[in-house]
Every structure is written in structure tokens, then in C-alpha cells.
């Protein structure tokens, strides 16, 4: 027994030794004078452009007072209770222009902040002011004193491919200058509802570890060029599970350029209604493609009509880049500035065509209610905001004794929801009304009050 065991042990060790020797035969050997492959040289150039952001402010919450309390406490009881709570937060940012001191981050990092401080890799702390932000794409632009700053170079994120190596840099959990690496897992992720209903999503997905505090940080390629702004993670418990999302650098650049030039986002508007092309619809229409944006309706006088787009067209590309869904098309168009000329590739009756369209100004869209629902006739709708800054549909010019007036709509009302679904603009309201029938409950903000108006 002992002899047999000893022989077995010797044979096993020899087998392992042989396997290790064989496996190592193909590996390079790095001597003392040979340089080991490393990302360190690239990171030494890039990390000074990634900053830590700390914010402080007061969060205001409003809660409507129930009718029973107003009954007991009399007419002087306010309609709502307002609570103010101080808060502090941490995030990341990226210097994109060293000469002018521009720093980009996520809107949710600096939202409602009264004080914003950035900390550079060399330990300096600088006060920052917010130039502008866009809640619907989760981008914010800050500016600091441009003193000895380092900016990151921007890559063409449209050239990014699934499988490309990327590096995430940020400050997760307040741990400054943390670097993780991975690959691009997917492109054009949308319908994730990360930035809320009505948001513009066209995310890069990566398995580079992204955690809380990484928001607003840099996603770079192996050349040290910025390909995206880290924004969100997918994790049931709030931790990293290898699914992170970043806003493409090209999308960020389009938005920040508008903030710099106008101080606000002036979205492009195509002027179509539609949905995703799926395999079932493709078979019904005899198409040889299964992805794209199906055009159901073209608004009269819109940029789409002027450009020659027709109902039934399938839009499959924008400026030579493939489009996989209507949501992706909406995100790309909505983050381009008004007046931008785009080239759209489409399929019409089995033939491929290319049309050029000059985008309208999204905020200038105003439609009469009768165009959306006859029960709303007598009012005009346009994109607007509530007194608290919540985006919605502004009601104006309500004609006396009209269906809209009988319903209870008034000048200055802002529609923020319909049948418990969030509505942020005219296009969303019109799209919902065109696709749904039956009872309609409009959630209306009137000053500081909230009410529902029901269409039966």
C-alpha cells in the first residue's frame, strides 16, 4: 500500500511538472531590463483630466396635504407641506477644455447642488459653477478657473466596436483615482429608463467595473481618448455585476456645445411618429431587414416632410451609422442641435434611398389640441416646465366654452402625466394619445397644486 501510494505520488508530480513546463514554454519571459506591458504610461497622461466632485445643497420635497386635514384646521391650512433637507454627495467629472476650464459630469451628480467643488489629482480644490445641464440625457457642464488644467482628448465614439478594450476612471465610493478595465459589451443601449421616461438614451455598455461615485467619470480607449462618460450600473443590490453604461463622447460633445453656445439644449426635431421595426412587421411588409425605425406618421410642415420622408418608410441609418430602433433614432436626433443637417438612410417599398433633412427646433413645436384629441379642442400645447422645473406640456390659449375649457384646462396648466405615465413634452403626449383609446386621465400641475382631469 505504501509503495503503491509513493509511486502514484511521484507519477502525479511528474505529470504536473511536465504540464507546467509545457504551458510555460509559449509564454514570454521578461527579464530585469525588459519592460512589462502596462497601461500606466497612458493613465499617467489621462488621470489628471479626471476630477473628483463634491456637492452640497438642500433638497426640497413637497407633499400634498389631505383634504381631511384642511377640513379640521381651516382654510388657512396650506395645500402642501414643504420639507427642506440638506444633502452632500460625491461623483466624478472630466476636464474637456483646459483653456476655458470646462468640466463635464452627469446631471444627477450636481442636480439641486448649491455648492460644487472639484478636486484635481494634484490635490487642488476649485469652486465650480454650473453652465447648464440636461436632465433628459443626464449631462451637466461645469466651469472652473482655468489654471494649469489637463484636458482629455475626445475620440470618435461612433467608431467604437463591441470587443474594443476600454478603461473606466473615477472615484467610486469616494476612493479617488480608481481605474478599472474591460471591453465594450454592447452599443446603442436604449429603453433602459435610466434617465427617466422621456429621456434620451444611447448608451455604451461595458464590463469595466463601475460603481457608485463613478458617475461622470471617464471611459477611455487604450490611446487615452475619451469614448464615454460613465453614468449608471445595472445591479440588483446597487453593486457592480459587470454591466455598466456610459454616454457616448459624440453625444456628450453635441450637448455641451449647445450649452456653451446657447446656455441651454436646443434639440433637433424630425417630426415623425413611429416605432421599432421587428421581424413580424418586416415579414408583413416583405422587407429584408429586421431592425430600424418604422415611420407611422409624418407631421405636416415638419423637417421630415420637407426632407421627403413618407409614412411607411423604414429609417435604417443616420449619417452613415446604422439605426437599430426608433428609440435610438430619437436619441440621436434629440441630442443634435436644431438646424443640423443629417443624412438618413431609409427603405421604401423595398428600395434603399438616402434623404437629407435639416432638423427643426424641438422647443418651438406648438400644436393645437384638436390635432391630438377632439375632446381637447380649444387649447394650444407646447413644451414647458412646472414652477418646480419639471418638464411637461404647457397649456395655453384655452378658448372659452371650448371642449378643453369644459374639461377644466386653464392657461398655464402643465400636463406632466397621462394614465399614470410620465409625459415630458408634446411629442410624447401626442404619441400616447394616438396609440391609446378609452378613458384618459391627465395629471395636471396648476401652480403648486396637482389635479387629474378625466376624458371619458
Amino acid at each position: 500500500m505504501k509503495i503503491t501510494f509513493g509511486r502514484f505520488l511521484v507519477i502525479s508530480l511528474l505529470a504536473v511538472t511536465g504540464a507546467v513546463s509545457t504551458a510555460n514554454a509559449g509564454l514570454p519571459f521578461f527579464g530585469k531590463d525588459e519592460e512589462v506591458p502596462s497601461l500606466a504610461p497612458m493613465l499617467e497622461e489621462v488621470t489628471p483630466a479626471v476630477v473628483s466632485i463634491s456637492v452640497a445643497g438642500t433638497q426640497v420635497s413637497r407633499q400634498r396635504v389631505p383634504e381631511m386635514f384642511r377640513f379640521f384646521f381651516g382654510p388657512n391650512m396650506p395645500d402642501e407641506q414643504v420639507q427642506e433637507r440638506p444633502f452632500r454627495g460625491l461623483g466624478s467629472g472630466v476636464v474637456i477644455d483646459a483653456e476655458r476650464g470646462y468640466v463635464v459630469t452627469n446631471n444627477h451628480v450636481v442636480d439641486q447642488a448649491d455648492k460644487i467643488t472639484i478636486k484635481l489629482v494634484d490635490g487642488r480644490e476649485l469652486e465650480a459653477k454650473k453652465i447648464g445641464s440636461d436632465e433628459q440625457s443626464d449631462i451637466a457642464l461645469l466651469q472652473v478657473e482655468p489654471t494649469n488644467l489637463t484636458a482629455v482628448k475626445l475620440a470618435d465614439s461612433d467608431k467604437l466596436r463591441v470587443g474594443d478594450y476600454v478603461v473606466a476612471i473615477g472615484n467610486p465610493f469616494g476612493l479617488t483615482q480608481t481605474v478599472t478595465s474591460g471591453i465594450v459589451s454592447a452599443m446603442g443601449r436604449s429603453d433602459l429608463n435610466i434617465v427617466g421616461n422621456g429621456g434620451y438614451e444611447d448608451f455604451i455598455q461595458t464590463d469595466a467595473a463601475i460603481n457608485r461615485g463613478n458617475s461622470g467619470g471617464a471611459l477611455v480607449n487604450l490611446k487615452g481618448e475619451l469614448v464615454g462618460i460613465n453614468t449608471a450600473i445595472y445591479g440588483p443590490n446597487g453593486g457592480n455585476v459587470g454591466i455598466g453604461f456610459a454616454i457616448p463622447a459624440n453625444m456628450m460633445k453635441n450637448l455641451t456645445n449647445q450649452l456653451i453656445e446657447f446656455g441651454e439644449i436646443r434639440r433637433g426635431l424630425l417630426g415623425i411618429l413611429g416605432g421599432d421595426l421587428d421581424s413580424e412587421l418586416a415579414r408583413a411588409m416583405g422587407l429584408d431587414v429586421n431592425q430600424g425605425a418604422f415611420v407611422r406618421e409624418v407631421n405636416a410642415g415638419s423637417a421630415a416632410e420637407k426632407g421627403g420622408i413618407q409614412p411607411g418608410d423604414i429609417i435604417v441609418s443616420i449619417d452613415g451609422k446604422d439605426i437599430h430602433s426608433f428609440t435610438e433614432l430619437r436619441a440621436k436626433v434629440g441630442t443634435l442641435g436644431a438646424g443640423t443637417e443629417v443624412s438618413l438612410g431609409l427603405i421604401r417599398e423595398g428600395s434603399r434611398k438616402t434623404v437629407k433633412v435639416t432638423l427643426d427646433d424641438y422647443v418651438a413645436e406648438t400644436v393645437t389640441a384638436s390635432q391630438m384629441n377632439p375632446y381637447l379642442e380649444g387649447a394650444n400645447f407646447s413644451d414647458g416646465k412646472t414652477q418646480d422645473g419639471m418638464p411637461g406640456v404647457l397649456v395655453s390659449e384655452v378658448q372659452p366654452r371650448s371642449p378643453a375649457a369644459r374639461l377644466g384646462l386653464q392657461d398655464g396648466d402643465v400636463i406632466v402625466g397621462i394614465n399614470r405615465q410620465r409625459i415630458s413634452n408634446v411629442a410624447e403626449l401626442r404619441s400616447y394619445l394616438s396609440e391609446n383609446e378609452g378613458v384618459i386621465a391627465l395629471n395636471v400641475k396648476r401652480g403648486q397644486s396637482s389635479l387629474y382631469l378625466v376624458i371619458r
Side-chain angles (χ1 to χ4, degrees):
M1 294 283 294
K2 292 182 180 180
I3 296 176
T4 305
F5 177 79
R7 290 177 61 189
F8 174 76
L9 181 61
V10 172
I11 292 171
S12 298
L13 287 173
L14 287 174
V16 170
T17 303
V20 172
S21 177
T22 303
N24 284 337
L27 294 177
F29 175 76
F30 298 99
K32 294 182 179 180
D33 298 330
E34 295 184 62
E35 185 177 351
V36 178
S38 174
L39 295 175
M42 178 271 287
L43 292 171
E44 289 171 357
E45 295 184 5
V46 175
T47 50
V50 183
V51 303
S52 172
I53 297 179
S54 59
V55 300
T58 302
Q59 190 171 37
V60 179
S61 62
R62 302 177 185 275
Q63 185 175 7
R64 187 168 176 78
V65 177
E67 292 291 339
M68 61 178 294
F69 284 100
R70 285 203 291 274
F71 175 80
F72 284 112
F73 292 99
N76 293 328
M77 185 74 179
D79 291 339
E80 61 182 8
Q81 289 182 324
V82 179
Q83 292 183 334
E84 296 184 352
R85 297 179 180 177
F87 71 90
R88 293 183 179 274
L90 295 173
S92 306
V94 185
V95 180
I96 58 172
D97 189 325
E99 294 183 358
R100 293 187 286 180
Y102 288 133
V103 179
V104 68
T105 185
N106 287 137
N107 174 70
H108 75 261
V109 172
V110 297
D111 189 32
Q112 299 186 50
D114 299 321
K115 183 179 180 181
I116 305 172
T117 304
I118 73 166
K119 185 175 182 179
L120 304 174
V121 69
D122 60 11
R124 286 181 294 155
E125 293 188 356
L126 303 173
E127 295 296 318
K129 65 177 181 179
K130 185 164 70 172
I131 300 300
S133 62
D134 181 33
E135 180 183 6
Q136 292 180 287
S137 60
D138 203 13
I139 282 290
L141 182 66
L142 313 177
Q143 189 173 30
V144 298
E145 186 68 27
T147 305
N148 195 24
L149 300 177
T150 300
V152 68
K153 296 180 180 178
L154 300 188
D156 182 356
S157 57
D158 286 338
K159 295 181 179 179
L160 204 59
R161 301 173 300 169
V162 173
D164 285 349
Y165 286 103
V166 287
V167 177
I169 310 170
N171 307 283
F173 307 111
L175 301 173
T176 59
Q177 292 296 309
T178 298
V179 178
T180 57
S181 65
I183 63 169
V184 174
S185 304
M187 297 289 296
R189 290 296 195 205
S190 57
D191 287 331
L192 301 172
N193 199 26
I194 289 175
V195 296
N197 290 327
Y200 294 86
E201 300 183 343
D202 185 25
F203 290 113
I204 301 166
Q205 181 182 328
T206 178
D207 65 351
I210 296 175
N211 289 285
R212 292 184 180 181
N214 267 117
S215 292
L219 188 70
V220 301
N221 59 24
L222 295 188
K223 295 180 181 179
E225 300 168 332
L226 186 72
V227 297
I229 299 296
N230 301 322
T231 299
I233 58 174
Y234 174 82
N237 300 315
N240 173 66
V241 292
I243 302 178
F245 301 100
I247 298 170
N250 288 1
M251 180 174 175
M252 177 274 294
K253 183 180 179 181
N254 290 334
L255 293 166
T256 54
N257 284 345
Q258 294 175 55
L259 290 173
I260 292 170
E261 184 175 357
F262 307 114
E264 63 180 2
I265 300 299
R266 296 189 176 179
R267 302 193 190 283
L269 178 67
L270 191 54
I272 62 172
L273 297 176
D276 296 345
L277 175 70
D278 54 25
S279 57
E280 185 177 351
L281 180 58
R283 285 195 301 270
M285 299 187 68
L287 301 173
D288 58 355
V289 294
N290 294 311
Q291 292 182 318
F294 175 71
V295 180
R296 186 178 66 251
E297 180 182 345
V298 178
N299 295 339
S302 66
E305 185 183 60
K306 295 174 184 176
I309 296 176
Q310 300 176 9
D313 287 347
I314 310 295
I315 300 176
V316 294
S317 69
I318 178 170
D319 289 334
K321 308 298 188 302
D322 289 344
I323 292 294
H324 301 95
S325 67
F326 192 88
T327 306
E328 184 180 355
L329 173 66
R330 176 180 175 273
K332 290 186 180 297
V333 169
T335 52
L336 292 171
T340 302
E341 185 180 75
V342 296
S343 178
L344 298 176
L346 53 86
I347 298 176
R348 179 181 300 161
E349 298 179 353
S351 301
R352 291 183 177 265
K353 299 179 178 294
T354 300
V355 298
K356 289 190 176 182
V357 178
T358 300
L359 300 178
D360 288 333
D361 189 343
Y362 192 99
V363 297
E365 183 186 39
T366 301
V367 298
T368 60
S370 60
Q371 293 176 280
M372 295 187 286
N373 189 298
Y375 292 98
L376 301 178
E377 186 176 356
N380 286 340
F381 289 145
S382 61
D383 293 345
K385 291 185 177 181
T386 65
Q387 291 183 4
D388 299 331
M390 181 186 298
V393 178
L394 176 65
V395 181
S396 61
E397 299 181 16
V398 180
Q399 299 175 9
R401 297 184 295 277
S402 66
R406 289 195 294 271
L407 177 64
L409 285 174
Q410 299 179 9
D411 284 358
D413 285 349
V414 180
I415 301 172
V416 296
I418 179 169
N419 290 0
R420 303 186 69 178
Q421 178 174 318
R422 182 78 175 84
I423 296 296
S424 301
N425 50 59
V426 172
E428 291 176 13
L429 177 62
R430 184 172 185 174
S431 177
Y432 188 94
L433 292 174
S434 68
E435 295 174 357
N436 296 273
E437 298 179 351
V439 177
I440 296 172
L442 300 176
N443 184 7
V444 175
K445 289 286 187 180
R446 181 173 295 165
Q448 298 295 335
S449 300
S450 179
L451 62 147
Y452 278 90
L453 301 177
V454 180
I455 302 173
R456 298 183 183 277

